Amino acid sequence: MAPEIAILMKAAAAGPDFSDGTVGEARTSTANDCRVFADDAPVMETEEFVLPGGVRATLYRPARRSNGLVVFVHGGGFVLGSRADYDAPVRLIAERAGVAVLSVEYRLAPENRFPDPVDDVLDAWTFAVDRAAEWGVDPHKLILLGDSAGANLCAVASNELVDEKVRPRLQVLMYPVVDGVGDYPSRREFAENPALTAKQIAWLAGMYLRDGQSQTDPRVSPMYVEDLSGAPATLITVAGFDPLRDEALAYASRLGEAGVPTRVMREGGLVHGYISYTRISPAARAAVDRVADAIGRAIRI
């Protein structure tokens, strides 16, 4: 584990567990952590939008940008997180990749349980496609990017868009949750890792899913899509000390076996959620930079 991450995890283990409090308290704690641990962000032009269904989004336009677009979906277990919480990492990626980013404020559980967040991300995709020409974007250079629960929503959306005329050029899934019921060694090995514990995973899942909802529904757990051959080219990142590591690797294997061009970035010294640790961790910043570089290359092919 990267030394600075080890120090952070020791401190986190001694602190409060957000799943012991209310949803509001957990959201406040997450927002505070994002402010403290995320990097200073570059200044760039932004524009606010309200999508037809009422979902809000922010378009980030770096000074140097291509004719591509990233649709970004934040993490937080479908319950926590916001555009504001992810402002810094979105700006970092937009600036380094040289690409505009549309950051989506999808509705959160438990106020809006599954499938509402899925529907919001699909609506945001349609909005981006419809606005592409106005924004100077090539609709065939759209990328879906998400971390954790946001990566789940990106994977689900990509699978739902398989028959659409405009599909993602690339899906970037950072330490995704893709299987709600599978038994994976990393889930057991890192069940007490304070970056994301088994207890927290269960608490978040209970907020997201309605009573009786099957976790093998492919729109909950994309691992259970029967045929993944229509998925877009995929970049998956995994953290070495993440309980979700092994299911992400299993999903990458399934994509590859289906003939989907798939790349895995293994960040062995990091933990779940490292996109928000770039202020305190050079290793996390380097990992995020690698993602941005891969996006930049994909846009310019």
Side-chain angles (χ1 to χ4, degrees):
M1 186 178 290
E4 69 277 8
I5 295 295
I7 293 170
L8 176 62
M9 291 301 99
K10 184 176 181 180
D17 179 343
F18 68 74
S19 64
D20 288 331
T22 66
V23 170
E25 290 167 343
R27 288 173 179 164
T28 298
S29 175
T30 297
N32 182 66
D33 287 348
C34 288
R35 284 192 298 270
V36 170
F37 299 127
D39 242 322
D40 294 331
V43 175
M44 64 186 63
E45 176 188 349
T46 62
E47 186 174 357
E48 300 294 315
F49 294 94
V50 179
L51 280 58
V55 170
R56 296 181 179 274
T58 303
L59 181 65
Y60 295 79
R61 292 190 178 102
R64 178 189 65 85
R65 61 182 182 270
S66 67
N67 64 341
L69 176 73
V70 171
V71 177
F72 177 76
V73 187
H74 69 76
F78 312 101
V79 175
L80 315 174
S82 68
R83 286 175 299 158
D85 294 349
Y86 278 75
D87 179 74
V90 166
R91 288 174 183 266
L92 290 173
I93 291 169
E95 178 79 8
R96 186 171 179 98
V99 63
V101 178
L102 183 71
S103 182
V104 181
E105 190 85 75
Y106 61 90
R107 292 170 293 171
L108 297 176
E111 298 89 343
N112 299 277
R113 297 177 186 262
F114 172 84
D116 294 351
V118 173
D119 294 338
D120 290 348
V121 172
L122 289 168
D123 287 348
W125 174 264
T126 300
F127 181 78
V129 171
D130 291 345
R131 291 293 186 105
E134 177 186 337
W135 293 341
V137 167
D138 180 344
H140 299 290
K141 292 187 176 182
L142 270 61
I143 289 176
L144 277 172
L145 164 64
D147 83 307
S148 191
N152 170 284
L153 295 172
C154 287
V156 170
S158 290
N159 295 332
E160 292 286 299
L161 294 167
V162 67
D163 294 323
E164 295 296 315
K165 182 178 179 181
V166 179
R167 299 166 55 236
R169 168 169 287 205
L170 175 72
Q171 61 174 344
V172 181
L173 313 178
M174 298 181 67
Y175 40 86
V177 53
V178 291
D179 189 344
V181 297
D183 181 23
Y184 297 94
S186 62
R187 287 261 193 162
R188 299 188 298 273
E189 183 178 1
F190 303 116
E192 299 300 323
N193 187 297
L196 182 66
T197 67
K199 176 173 173 286
Q200 291 166 347
I201 292 172
W203 185 80
L204 293 165
M207 296 283 181
Y208 181 46
L209 300 176
R210 303 175 193 273
D211 291 345
Q213 172 63 52
S214 170
Q215 292 200 54
T216 60
D217 183 328
R219 298 210 306 164
V220 173
S221 298
M223 184 69 78
Y224 296 96
V225 173
E226 289 187 11
D227 181 7
L228 287 169
S229 62
T234 302
L235 169 62
I236 291 179
T237 77
V238 295
F241 295 86
D242 184 358
L244 305 185
R245 181 195 65 199
D246 291 347
E247 67 196 73
L249 293 173
Y251 193 61
S253 294
R254 280 211 60 211
L255 288 164
E257 290 165 0
V260 176
T262 304
R263 178 185 178 191
V264 174
M265 287 185 178
R266 296 173 180 260
E267 305 297 349
L270 294 178
V271 295
H272 192 84
Y274 65 75
I275 195 173
S276 297
Y277 295 156
T278 52
R279 181 189 297 274
I280 63 163
S281 173
R285 177 60 187 268
V288 172
D289 285 349
R290 281 189 282 274
V291 169
D293 290 345
I295 290 171
R297 288 191 295 271
I299 288 290
R300 289 168 176 81
I301 292 175

